Amino acid sequence: AAVEGVVKEAALAAALTALMILLFLGSWRATLIVVISIPLSILVSIIFLNTLGMTLNVMTLGGLSLAVGILVDDATVEIENIHRNMAMKKPIVRAIMDGAQEIAAPAFVATLCICIVFVPVAFITGAAKSLFVPLALSVVFAMMTSYFLSRTVVPTLVHKLLAGEAQHFMHPEQQGTKGPFARFHARFERAFERMRDAYGGLLAWALTHRIRFIVGFAVFALGSSSLLSVVGSDFFPSVDAGRIKLHVRGAPSTRIEQTEHEIARIQEVIKAIIPADEIESMIDVLGVPYSGINLSLSEGALISPADGQIMIALKEHHAPTADYVRAMRQKLNESFPDKTFFFLAPDISTQVLNFGLAAPIDIQVVGPLGSDEHYAVARKIADKVKQIPGAVDVHLAQVPRGPQLRVDVDRAMAARLGLTQRDVASDLLVSLSSSGQVAPNFWVDPRGVQYLVAVQTPQYRNDSIEALAQTPLSSAGGGTQLLSNIGGVSRAEGPVNLTPYNVARTYDVQCSVDGTDLGSVSAAVREVIEQMKPELPRGVSVNLKGQAESMDTSFRGLAYGLIFAVVLVYLLMVVNFQSWLDPFIILMALPGALAGISWMLFLTHTTISVPALMGAIMTIGVATANSILVVTFANEQRPLGFDSYHAALAAGMTRLRPVMMTALAMIIGMLPMSLGLGEGGEQNAPLGRAVIGGLLIATVSTLFFVPVMYSILRTRVAKHDPDVEAL
């Protein structure tokens, strides 16, 4: 369902983008030429992904959906420029050649800039890298294909399909009666020209009052960026998968029959919270997994017969799952104070990101074996974490004390009877846990199916300590002795489960997050750890593990990678422009992009996450590409005798249409994704929102701030080119 939702989003984005291009170009033939690059680029990208052994999944399809809005960029800019040359009454072939040649270099640099900004993905570590490298590659392959098509297929199709339009430009008096759409497009063009004139007036004012405009824009950008400190951060956004996984832990040594009875009582409370018509299924898993394979594929929370898990699947049209979880958490803790309740990750994405742990935040307390001080530190940390706002389901993963039976063997007596401590332990293990644990035997039926053959004393026979003491022990000499002859059985206390880390004993304080973001809770947990460090006993250390640790590592890698990508983009443009100044002017659009991202995340209550940062990366690429168009055109005006003021004004006025078309295509293409309506759509929604918010302000920055900075920094008088002037 999630894959289907992403495909629908991509198709809707393509349709909306096509309508926007049709509105601007006013020609279905031109729109067809532009839109045809979308499926061709996506198909080529899929071929490359398949060659690299990747699959079509939510992430690769999300990357292709992300690319839909920008795939039309190269073709749109080229056709718009060809239209501009046609308006100069050039022959069709000359208009195509000149229009394609004028934007070949800037379009290539712009495409490379968009591809280069995905370099930071290589700096992500862990599971996030496996998720987002395919997404980045799908975008890069599609973008490079789009540029190749704009150099080859697009000019050919323009020559075949737009020859009639060229004749209209050459002989406007021969145009026939206009249809309804033509009249609508004419009104749109008049409205656009009025907006263009208004924009020219505003840009002229900004160029005249440059210092005042720059100070105001700088204050706005810096103030907007401060919003990032209040939006919070998550590794990945939470997804409402319609699944609930509740873990119930009773008193140690509770028999599995009693656990089953208690789980039935808990289910009645759950059914009173969740309406029956919204429950698709409710499955219980009780006790310890019966095999090592099952144990390795779980979170390891089922540690004894006192443990149980209730897995609830909700029907398609259900109320928000998080509301039910909060209600269950409150009601169950009130109704069953003697039990420990905590919710586990029900969806596969969160399970992967938790790296096999039962919670996104895991405070690992490592210390010497059997130390009471070690356990006291873990309990104290748990008590402090419970006071952190937003921290829920705080519990200790280990149960350090539970009733046990202790067998004390008289080793001297056992040796005289030909028995060792190992013999006693092995025979007891066979009797109580079956021979499958010590010496597994298998029987293969004629069909080739293996069956484990195990011998075990029936559990109902071991109903007392006296019965256990009658366990027969076989000696090496062939004789048989009873356990009571060489040892005694007594009651004791001991740990229900042990979790070693590099041999040392560990206690894990685990907690989840509700009603706030993971970043704020993990920051508060770190403060607790720092406060506890001076009080730690000798040999005890505390570390933060889980999703919180991976989030910090990935964010750090993305931040370094983003800086590296901006430097790479800058150096690429230095080589292209043969100037250190022009690339600096082009990058002036980026503060606006950051401000737009900040405002969009703040207004939509979206936290900073890896998908949101991926959207920020994409925004940087597109904003840079649009700025290249403006600065390139301004540079072309300097040899014609324009000073920096008039060159900047002409660049803004002329490049207004392609810049707006590129930005609007990306924004409209991201609208379906930003709404997050499909199954699992919450995962990619921050990406779409970051792109939309960043481009909204980055486009304003490109059309105003970049020309103003150009007029200030490009004060050197350009040399006149007689050939250019003659042309």
Side-chain angles (χ1 to χ4, degrees):
V3 169
E4 184 181 344
V6 175
V7 172
K8 288 180 179 178
E9 288 176 357
L12 181 58
L16 291 174
T17 304
L19 287 175
M20 187 277 298
I21 294 171
L22 179 62
L23 183 63
F24 268 90
L25 297 181
S27 166
W28 68 266
R29 290 184 176 89
T31 303
L32 178 64
I33 295 171
V34 172
V35 173
I36 200 172
S37 63
I38 296 178
L40 291 177
S41 300
I42 288 177
L43 287 172
V44 172
S45 182
I46 290 173
I47 291 172
F48 279 110
L49 291 174
N50 181 64
T51 304
L52 295 176
M54 297 179 182
T55 62
L56 287 179
N57 51 59
V58 173
M59 301 312 297
T60 51
L61 288 173
L64 295 175
S65 179
L66 173 65
V68 163
I70 199 64
L71 284 180
V72 300
D73 181 27
D74 294 324
T76 301
V77 172
E78 181 160 341
I79 289 182
E80 192 278 335
N81 207 42
I82 292 173
H83 266 248
R84 191 172 65 86
N85 280 273
M86 287 180 182
M88 298 177 185
K89 298 188 177 181
K90 295 180 181 179
I92 179 66
V93 175
R94 178 69 182 276
I96 292 173
M97 296 296 292
D98 290 350
Q101 185 178 3
E102 287 170 3
I103 56 96
F108 180 68
V109 176
T111 303
L112 282 183
C113 289
I114 295 175
C115 296
I116 283 176
V117 293
F118 282 97
V119 169
V121 176
F123 291 81
I124 305 178
T125 58
K129 182 172 185 177
S130 301
L131 290 171
F132 281 99
V133 165
L135 184 149
L137 289 177
S138 62
V139 175
V140 170
F141 291 147
M143 284 301 305
M144 296 306 296
T145 305
S146 172
Y147 179 79
F148 175 76
L149 293 175
S150 71
R151 300 295 94 206
T152 54
V153 176
V154 171
T156 305
L157 291 177
V158 169
H159 185 251
K160 294 295 182 182
L161 297 179
L162 298 188
E165 293 187 15
Q167 291 298 321
H168 291 166
F169 281 114
M170 295 290 292
H171 306 287
E173 70 281 355
Q174 297 179 4
Q175 294 188 33
T177 306
K178 296 181 178 180
F181 178 74
R183 290 194 295 271
F184 173 78
H185 181 257
R187 287 196 297 271
F188 172 79
E189 284 295 324
R190 289 193 294 270
F192 183 82
E193 286 302 318
R194 288 196 296 271
M195 187 200 73
R196 184 170 175 269
D197 293 338
Y199 160 72
L202 291 174
L203 179 58
W205 180 90
L207 290 169
T208 306
H209 305 83
R210 294 179 294 189
I211 302 301
R212 191 185 308 175
F213 177 79
I214 289 174
V215 171
F217 185 83
V219 170
F220 168 76
L222 291 174
S224 301
S225 301
S226 63
L227 293 173
L228 293 175
S229 60
V230 300
V231 299
S233 59
D234 283 305
F235 194 15
F236 272 75
S238 58
V239 177
D240 189 348
R243 301 289 185 269
I244 301 173
K245 193 173 184 181
L246 171 64
H247 190 95
V248 183
R249 179 165 293 167
S253 79
T254 303
R255 292 183 62 84
I256 198 165
E257 302 94 315
Q258 182 62 26
T259 301
E260 182 183 14
H261 175 70
E262 296 295 326
I263 291 291
R265 292 175 55 206
I266 292 170
Q267 281 189 346
E268 293 302 319
V269 176
I270 294 174
K271 290 176 181 177
I273 296 173
I274 306 177
D277 59 349
E278 292 190 17
I279 299 177
E280 183 176 326
S281 64
M282 190 180 297
I283 303 173
D284 305 334
V285 179
L286 308 181
V288 183
Y290 70 91
S291 76
I293 295 176
N294 287 14
L295 189 63
S296 66
L297 295 177
S298 71
E299 307 89 350
L302 291 166
I303 60 173
S304 75
D307 286 86
Q309 288 180 357
I310 303 175
M311 293 180 285
I312 306 167
L314 301 179
K315 292 184 178 179
E316 185 175 354
H317 302 289
H318 58 83
T321 306
D323 294 345
Y324 288 140
V325 169
R326 294 188 190 102
M328 290 166 58
R329 183 180 288 123
Q330 179 180 358
K331 185 65 176 178
L332 292 175
N333 282 309
E334 292 175 356
S335 304
F336 304 92
D338 58 329
K339 291 179 172 49
T340 301
F341 297 94
F342 52 91
F343 291 87
L344 303 171
D347 60 288
I348 190 169
S349 299
T350 311
Q351 290 173 8
V352 170
L353 295 172
N354 284 345
F355 298 97
L357 297 173
I361 297 178
D362 185 302
I363 308 165
Q364 191 181 69
V365 185
V366 185
L369 295 175
S371 170
D372 290 334
E373 293 179 337
H374 179 202
Y375 174 64
V377 169
R379 289 301 323 165
K380 190 171 183 180
I381 290 177
D383 292 338
K384 289 190 174 184
V385 171
K386 287 179 181 178
Q387 300 173 9
I388 297 175
V392 294
D393 297 340
V394 182
H395 67 280
L396 215 60
Q398 293 78 15
V399 179
R401 290 187 177 87
Q404 293 183 342
L405 294 177
R406 178 182 178 88
V407 179
D408 293 300
V409 178
D410 186 337
R411 299 196 180 202
M413 176 67 73
R416 285 197 293 270
L417 297 174
L419 291 169
T420 63
Q421 188 82 352
R422 179 179 179 180
D423 295 331
V424 175
S426 180
D427 286 352
L428 277 174
L429 189 59
V430 169
S431 175
L432 299 176
S433 299
S434 88
S435 59
Q437 300 291 330
V438 181
N441 290 285
F442 296 92
W443 175 74
V444 182
D445 71 3
R447 297 173 299 171
V449 180
Q450 294 186 105
Y451 294 92
L452 176 66
V453 180
V455 178
Q456 179 181 0
T457 302
Q459 291 189 10
Y460 59 83
R461 291 284 183 87
N462 290 319
D463 56 357
S464 64
I465 292 179
E466 291 74 17
L468 183 63
Q470 301 304 310
T471 300
L473 307 173
S474 56
S475 63
T480 301
Q481 294 291 332
L482 298 179
L483 178 62
S484 58
N485 293 341
I486 60 169
V489 182
S490 59
R491 298 186 183 276
E493 278 191 347
V496 175
N497 64 321
L498 298 174
T499 310
Y501 181 77
N502 290 339
V503 183
R505 174 81 65 82
T506 67
Y507 290 107
D508 294 271
V509 180
Q510 298 176 338
C511 79
S512 298
V513 177
D514 181 52
T516 186
D517 60 290
L518 178 63
S520 61
V521 176
S522 61
V525 167
R526 282 191 176 84
E527 291 182 8
V528 170
I529 294 174
E530 291 300 321
Q531 294 171 4
M532 290 287 297
K533 280 186 176 179
E535 308 173 16
L536 295 178
R538 184 177 180 182
V540 176
S541 61
V542 182
N543 304 304
L544 184 62
K545 298 291 183 182
Q547 201 179 128
E549 181 188 32
S550 302
M551 180 182 72
D552 291 343
T553 305
S554 296
F555 279 16
R556 197 179 306 115
L558 271 176
Y560 292 148
L562 201 56
I563 296 171
F564 181 64
V566 172
V567 173
L568 275 180
V569 168
Y570 178 75
L571 294 177
L572 172 68
M573 292 188 293
V574 166
V575 174
N576 176 71
F577 287 96
Q578 294 294 302
S579 166
W580 295 95
L581 186 59
D582 285 343
F584 178 76
I585 297 172
I586 289 170
L587 294 181
M588 288 296 101
L590 300 189
L594 183 61
I597 293 170
S598 304
W599 275 107
M600 181 59 74
L601 296 181
F602 176 74
L603 294 175
T604 58
H605 304 287
T606 305
T607 58
I608 301 171
S609 59
V610 174
L613 291 175
M614 292 293 292
I617 289 172
M618 190 67 175
T619 304
I620 288 175
V622 178
T624 304
N626 284 340
S627 292
I628 288 174
L629 291 177
V630 174
V631 173
T632 302
F633 190 87
N635 283 342
E636 292 173 357
Q637 304 307 303
R638 300 298 302 284
L640 300 178
F642 286 83
D643 58 12
S644 60
Y645 173 93
H646 290 93
L649 183 61
M653 295 285 287
T654 305
R655 292 304 190 196
L656 174 65
R657 182 186 291 265
V659 167
M660 286 192 64
M661 288 179 68
T662 301
L664 283 175
M666 194 68 191
I667 290 170
I668 291 174
M670 288 292 99
L671 275 176
M673 181 184 289
S674 66
L675 298 176
L677 299 178
E679 290 284 347
E682 302 96 331
Q683 182 169 289
N684 284 329
L687 191 154
R689 292 167 188 169
V691 170
I692 291 174
L695 281 183
L696 282 174
I697 307 300
T699 303
V700 176
S701 176
T702 299
L703 294 174
F704 286 97
F705 191 60
V706 170
V708 169
M709 293 301 296
Y710 184 92
S711 68
I712 291 177
L713 298 177
R714 270 294 183 185
T715 54
R716 184 173 62 86
V717 178
K719 294 181 179 180
H720 290 253
D721 189 337
D723 295 334
V724 174
E725 288 183 349
L727 178 64

